[in-house]
Amino acid sequence: MRFGFVLNFNDRAGQEVELHHQPDAGSGIYLPNVKTFVYTTPQSKPRGIAHEARRRRCLEIMTVYGFTDWRFFYGTSSSPYWVGIPKDHARLLRENEPPLLILEDDIEPRAFCANVTPPAGAEVVYLGGGRGGDMGGINAARHAGLPLKRTYGYGYELIDADWMRVYGMLYSHAILWLDKRVMLEAAQLLDSQRRPIDGTIASAQWRWQTACRIVPMFWQRDGHHRGETFDYAPIPDWAKRKILVPCRKRA
Amino acid sequence: MKLLTFYSPSHEPLVRRLLASRLEEFSVVCRQVPQGDSKGSYGARGYKQLVHGKASIIEEEFTEDLVFADADVVFLRPSLAAFVEDLGDAECAFQRDAADACAGLFILRYTQRCRALVRSWVEMLATPEYLVESNAYDQDALNRLLRATRFPYAWLGPRFVNPWTLTGKHWDGQPLSIPAETVAFHANWCIGVDAKARLLEMASAAAHADSD
């Protein structure tokens, strides 16, 4: 029996993506029962209108996917806006136990499935990532002797068809935290550094077992991260050879 | 099955009538909430805070299949079978309130989706848009969620009566012909405790007349 809804969301190409919600399939962590915070910002004009729409959309998503232990977290107002966000996340990481899912209010589902089985030993799980990266995080992983590859702006090791370990990957719109020690370590970093939250975490990813979905469960529909968070799967070597190299030669 | 209601002190005469009605099939939970600065009337100052608290109470008490009834409902006959029949295969069913699902008389199955619906309802009512700036109330929020998510709910049928289901308009004191098969009467579509009490008296009298 199919329990959930079938919804049609318009994807970036204008095609309809059919999403099936099948919480009784498979095993692992059942996401709708995981304690979840949706990070949003307090009402402010003129951005408040956009945030209202985002909150409405989140309410739909959380209802459709059956999340039963979630709430909005209203972040601290600050200028620039990103200064307060790391402190808020640090607080959430300190005050809550794993598993803990922190979503941002501009998420949009792509390939959501309720049951998720992270790779063995995973401590941090990106349910959605992106193409952007932090060179400091990639270099730190290299210096640590980790066998990473590069694609787009981030470093990675493929784990299986669904997962990769990532190094220096930006974005923080859908992170599942599975280890309290790592949560406290991240909280300390977030409190001590004055930079956007995803940069801080990206720079330290190599220290943790950070797994990322190759096809995102959530992408970031904030108006400017559209393509890079919808499809960031590593470019396979054959594609680099057949497509990218000839293009370079022509140039 | 649990039946939940709640009331503020201003509505105590109504809830007494509800509790004295045909609830013998249910495990009844009746919660009192502070009056605050509200008179309890629809749209009055403080009404919003009062009804916003309703969703939170429902979430707290939603630990099994649940019937929720506002304090201005009265059960004229045993109703559990009618609830279950109208619910059918759906996970929740609401009394009709014009085009809306009524947030004052409904049944919820204890399912993941219904729990998610209630959780989202509580969160929606706590957003700045609803808490401060909007004139929308709990029922508006619930219906917005139901529509936006295309939630598959059912309607409680003609045995669940209110002035709108009988006349299609607000009740302004006119006599109502209450159908003999009515199991529950909801005294909405009128404003003020006195008007509601008169409506409920009329419904109860009709039920007694039918049973005599």
Side-chain angles (χ1 to χ4, degrees), chain A residues 151-208:
Chain A
T151 190
Y152 296 118
Y154 64 90
Y156 73 99
E157 284 177 76
L158 285 178
I159 298 173
D160 57 31
D162 296 324
W163 297 99
M164 57 183 166
R165 184 175 176 185
V166 289
Y167 304 97
M169 181 187 271
L170 296 173
Y171 311 97
S172 54
H173 54 278
I175 302 181
L176 175 65
W177 298 86
L178 297 178
D179 186 280
K180 187 65 184 182
R181 180 190 60 80
V182 171
M183 290 163 68
L184 293 174
E185 204 174 313
Q188 191 172 352
L189 286 170
L190 291 169
D191 270 341
S192 63
Q193 296 187 18
R194 185 183 162 84
R195 59 185 299 200
I197 175 177
D198 56 348
T200 300
I201 296 174
S203 68
Q205 270 166 359
W206 66 276
R207 296 156 60 167
W208 311 316

Side-chain angles (χ1 to χ4, degrees), chain B residues 110-188:
Chain B
Y110 187 65
T111 63
Q112 184 91 18
R113 276 193 294 193
C114 283
R115 285 159 56 211
L117 176 69
V118 173
R119 178 88 281 274
S120 296
W121 189 22
V122 173
E123 281 302 308
M124 191 172 198
L125 291 170
T127 58
E129 300 82 59
Y130 271 83
L131 208 53
V132 181
E133 297 187 0
S134 165
N135 284 324
Y137 299 127
D138 58 324
Q139 183 164 305
D140 304 291
L142 177 66
N143 279 274
R144 178 177 277 184
L145 269 178
L146 290 170
R147 288 181 188 128
T149 60
R150 290 182 264 178
F151 202 98
Y153 61 92
W155 293 114
L156 295 176
R159 290 172 289 186
F160 296 87
V161 172
N162 63 33
W164 184 86
T165 64
L166 295 177
T167 65
K169 60 181 185 179
H170 278 89
W171 185 68
D172 53 10
Q174 75 273 33
L176 294 178
S177 172
I178 310 236
E181 66 273 18
T182 301
V183 296
F185 185 88
H186 189 178
N188 55 2

Side-chain angles (χ1 to χ4, degrees), chain B residues 195-206:
Chain B
K196 288 175 183 292
R198 289 205 307 279
L199 252 179
L200 293 174
E201 184 63 40
M202 186 189 301
S204 301

Side-chain angles (χ1 to χ4, degrees), chain A residues 3-5 7-8 30 32-33 43 45 52 55-56 59-60 62-64 66-68 70-72 74, chain B residues 59 91 111-113 115-117 119-121 123-124 126-129 133 144-145 148-152:
Chain A
F3 171 96
F5 299 73
L7 274 191
N8 293 315
Y30 184 54
N33 287 347
Q43 190 87 331
K45 304 282 183 178
E52 180 183 340
R55 280 191 282 272
R56 277 209 305 270
L59 283 156
E60 293 172 27
M62 304 312 277
T63 311
V64 164
F67 278 73
T68 56
W70 77 277
R71 63 202 61 238
F72 284 117
Y74 293 87
Chain B
E59 185 179 35
E91 293 177 28
T111 63
Q112 184 91 18
R113 276 193 294 193
R115 285 159 56 211
L117 176 69
R119 178 88 281 274
S120 296
W121 189 22
E123 281 302 308
M124 191 172 198
T127 58
E129 300 82 59
E133 297 187 0
R144 178 177 277 184
L145 269 178
T149 60
R150 290 182 264 178
F151 202 98

